[in-house]
Amino acid sequence: MSTYHILLFGICRDLLKSSTISIEKEGKVTVEELLQTVRSIHPALEKLPSLRLAAEHRFPEPDFILSESMEIALIPPVSGG
């Protein structure tokens, strides 16, 4: 069993009232699988349209396999001008 520690920012941090969450998964996990797991465990995030996972300060492809030693962050939708 691997434990993935995920940093939270912006509205994700506000909705979950925490700066980090931890997810346990068995076997290898992809970016897409971990994001789906996060959304299913934390339904408040399901309403956010464009959540992305960053790993090691990059946005990997959905099929990228994560390692529990990586710095992983949940990036909420952002706007700017």
Side-chain angles (χ1 to χ4, degrees):
M1 185 77 66
S2 298
T3 302
Y4 298 88
H5 302 285
I6 303 168
L7 302 172
L8 303 175
F9 296 97
I11 193 163
C12 297
R13 184 181 216 158
D14 295 342
L15 289 171
L16 301 185
K17 298 179 182 10
S18 179
S19 61
T20 62
I21 56 173
S22 296
I23 304 289
E24 290 188 352
K25 294 287 283 182
E26 201 162 318
K28 295 180 180 179
V29 66
T30 65
V31 168
E32 185 174 354
E33 291 167 341
L34 189 59
L35 187 55
Q36 288 174 354
T37 300
V38 167
R39 283 189 159 158
S40 69
I41 292 173
H42 300 285
L45 299 176
E46 288 182 9
K47 296 177 183 174
L48 299 178
S50 59
L51 286 178
R52 295 184 74 188
L53 275 182
E56 299 296 327
H57 305 273
R58 291 181 171 78
F59 290 113
E61 295 295 321
D63 61 350
F64 180 82
I65 296 175
L66 296 164
S67 165
E68 65 182 312
S69 64
M70 291 179 165
E71 181 180 79
I72 302 170
L74 188 60
I75 308 299
V78 295
S79 63

